C-alpha cells in the first residue's frame, strides 16, 4: 500500500493496515489488491475535498471517531 | 460449407459460378448449389419458431425488443416486468445467515464490548462469512440485520447498545432499560450499509452498569434462533 493509498483509506476506515490485512485474508492477495485500488479510487475525491476544505483541521476517520460521543463513557 | 463461420453465405464455385454466357450448367453443380442453399436456409432462425438455436447468439450490443412478458420458469425477463409470476432467483447473490448454536457466558455487563460468535452458518452464498465477520465481495448496498439475546442481566445493567460495525461506518442502536432481576433482553439492529469490496461487517454488544461481565449472549442449537446475524447484497 502506497502512502497516498493509505491516506485515502484512513479517511474512510479506522485502521488502513487492518483493513487491507483482512481483505487479503478474506479475498486473497489478487482480489484484495483490486479492492484496495477500487476503494481508493472511489474515495479519493471525497478525501481531497475534505483536505482542501478543512486544511489543518482535517482529521482521519480514527481521529473523528475518537472525538465522537460514547454513551458508555 | 454454405456459411463461412463468420455469418457470410458463400455459394460454391462451379461451372456456372461465376456464370459464363452460352455455357451449359452441369447437373451435379446445380444439385450442389441447391444442397448448399438448403443447408444455409436450415441454419437460419425461422420467425415462426420452427428452429431452435444450437449456440449462444451474440447480439453485439443490440437489444431484443418487443419481448413478451414472462409467464413461466425459463422465460426471459424484460425491463419493467411486473408480472405476478415473474420470480427472479439469483443464486449468485451474496447472502448469509449465521446464529449462536450455544450460549457465550460472562460476556458483558461492565461496559466492555462483546462479539457474538455466530458460529453456526445456515447458508453463506459466496462464502463471504467467517468467524462472525462478513466480507463484502463486491461494492454495493447491503442489508445487515442482527438480533442478540442477552441473558442473566442484573438490575444495574441499565444501558444497552448493539453495534453494526462496518468498515466505512458504525451503526448503533442504544436503549436504557432497567432489567428486573436476572432478566433477558433482545437487542436488534437493521441497516442498509454502503460497503466497498473487501469491507467487513461484524456485530458487537455492550451493557453498562454491572459490576463485571456477568451477562451472557444466549444461543441454542435448536430452533428458534435468538442470536443471529444475516445480510444480503440489495443494490
Amino acid at each position: 500500500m502506497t502512502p497516498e493509498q493509505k491516506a485515502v483509506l484512513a479517511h474512510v476506515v479506522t485502521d488502513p493496515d487492518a483493513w487491507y490485512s483482512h481483505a487479503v485474508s478474506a479475498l486473497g492477495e489478487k482480489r484484495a489488491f483490486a479492492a484496495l485500488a477500487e476503494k481508493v479510487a472511489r474515495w479519493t475525491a471525497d478525501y481531497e475535498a475534505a483536505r482542501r476544505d478543512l486544511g489543518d483541521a482535517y482529521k482521519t476517520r480514527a481521529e473523528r471517531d475518537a472525538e465522537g460521543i460514547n454513551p458508555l463513557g | 460449407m454454405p456459411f463461412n463461420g463468420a455469418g457470410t453465405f458463400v455459394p460454391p464455385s462451379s461451372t456456372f459460378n461465376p456464370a459464363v454466357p452460352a455455357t451449359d450448367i452441369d447437373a451435379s453443380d446445380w444439385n450442389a448449389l441447391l444442397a448448399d442453399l438448403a443447408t444455409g436456409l436450415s441454419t437460419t432462425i425461422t420467425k415462426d419458431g420452427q428452429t431452435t438455436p444450437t449456440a449462444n447468439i451474440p447480439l453485439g450490443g443490440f437489444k431484443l425488443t418487443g419481448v413478451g412478458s414472462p409467464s413461466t420458469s425459463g422465460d426471459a425477463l424484460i425491463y419493467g416486468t411486473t408480472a405476478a409470476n415473474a420470480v427472479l432467483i439469483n443464486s449468485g447473490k451474496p447472502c448469509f445467515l449465521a446464529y449462536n448454536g450455544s450460549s457465550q457466558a460472562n460476556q458483558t455487563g461492565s461496559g466492555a464490548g462483546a462479539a457474538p460468535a455466530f458460529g453456526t452458518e445456515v447458508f453463506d452464498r459466496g462464502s463471504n462469512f467467517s468467524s462472525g465477520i462478513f466480507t463484502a465481495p463486491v461494492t454495493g448496498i447491503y442489508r445487515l440485520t442482527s438480533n442478540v439475546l442477552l441473558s442473566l442481566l442484573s438490575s444495574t445493567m441499565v444501558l444497552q447498545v448493539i453495534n453494526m460495525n462496518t468498515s466505512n461506518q458504525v451503526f448503533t442502536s442504544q436503549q436504557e432499560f432497567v432489567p428486573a432481576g436476572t432478566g433477558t433482553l433482545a437487542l436488534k439492529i437493521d441497516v442498509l450499509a454502503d460497503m466497498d469490496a473487501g469491507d467487513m461487517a461484524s456485530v458487537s454488544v455492550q451493557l453498562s452498569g454491572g459490576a463485571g461481565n456477568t451477562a451472557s449472549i444466549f444461543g441454542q442449537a435448536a430452533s428458534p434462533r435468538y442470536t443471529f446475524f444475516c445480510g444480503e447484497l440489495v443494490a
Side-chain angles (χ1 to χ4, degrees):
Chain A
M1 191 177 348
T2 68
E4 291 77 17
Q5 288 176 316
K6 196 167 185 175
V8 174
L9 212 52
H11 178 65
V12 193
V13 306
T14 54
D15 187 338
D17 291 326
W19 183 91
Y20 190 63
S21 176
H22 173 78
V24 170
S25 173
L27 304 177
E29 198 157 355
K30 187 176 180 182
R31 286 181 63 199
F33 188 78
L36 170 65
E38 180 185 334
K39 190 173 181 72
V40 168
R42 183 183 176 205
W43 291 101
T44 293
D46 196 65
Y47 163 71
E48 291 178 343
R51 290 298 302 256
R52 185 175 58 248
D53 295 343
L54 298 173
D56 292 340
Y58 173 80
K59 291 182 172 60
T60 64
R61 160 80 187 283
E63 291 168 337
R64 296 195 303 272
D65 281 7
E67 293 181 349
I69 298 172
N70 182 349
L72 299 180
Chain B
M1 189 63 181
F3 284 98
N4 66 354
T8 301
F9 183 88
V10 182
S13 297
S14 63
T15 54
F16 58 94
N17 182 26
V20 178
T23 302
D24 290 342
I25 296 173
D26 183 87
S28 61
D29 285 349
W30 173 252
N31 291 333
L33 171 64
L34 290 180
D36 263 20
L37 289 171
T39 302
L41 288 171
S42 299
T43 306
T44 60
I45 299 175
T46 52
K47 72 175 185 180
D48 61 357
Q50 289 188 52
T51 54
T52 301
T54 56
N56 294 330
I57 307 299
L59 294 178
F62 291 93
K63 305 172 185 176
L64 291 173
T65 60
V67 178
S69 295
S71 58
T72 188
S73 177
D75 286 358
L77 285 176
I78 59 174
Y79 184 79
T81 293
T82 56
N85 53 355
V87 179
L88 176 62
I89 299 175
N90 184 355
S91 59
K93 185 169 82 166
C95 55
F96 69 96
L97 168 62
Y99 66 94
N100 269 31
S102 59
S103 292
Q104 298 169 250
N106 302 325
Q107 291 292 301
T108 185
S110 65
F118 304 121
T120 304
E121 292 183 8
V122 180
F123 56 82
D124 179 17
R125 286 185 175 172
S127 301
N128 304 301
F129 186 84
S130 178
S131 302
I133 298 174
F134 170 72
T135 303
V138 297
T139 298
I141 305 298
Y142 291 80
R143 176 176 290 283
L144 302 168
T145 303
S146 183
N147 186 87
V148 178
L149 182 64
L150 300 165
S151 62
L152 302 176
L153 276 70
S154 74
S155 58
T156 60
M157 299 173 182
V158 294
L159 185 58
Q160 303 90 24
V161 175
I162 182 170
N163 296 316
M164 183 64 73
N165 310 295
T166 70
S167 294
N168 288 346
Q169 52 200 322
V170 176
F171 302 88
T172 293
S173 177
Q174 173 197 337
Q175 60 185 12
E176 295 182 47
F177 167 74
V178 181
T182 54
T184 61
L185 177 68
L187 299 179
K188 305 168 187 174
I189 192 164
D190 183 17
V191 303
L192 283 176
D194 173 11
M195 299 181 73
D196 298 310
D199 281 1
M200 65 180 91
S202 63
V203 175
S204 61
V205 292
Q206 292 169 279
L207 293 173
S208 183
N213 290 334
T214 56
S216 299
I217 298 172
F218 185 80
Q220 63 179 17
S223 180
R225 314 299 179 205
Y226 289 97
T227 297
F228 59 86
F229 182 19
C230 57
E232 61 170 334
L233 172 65
V234 295

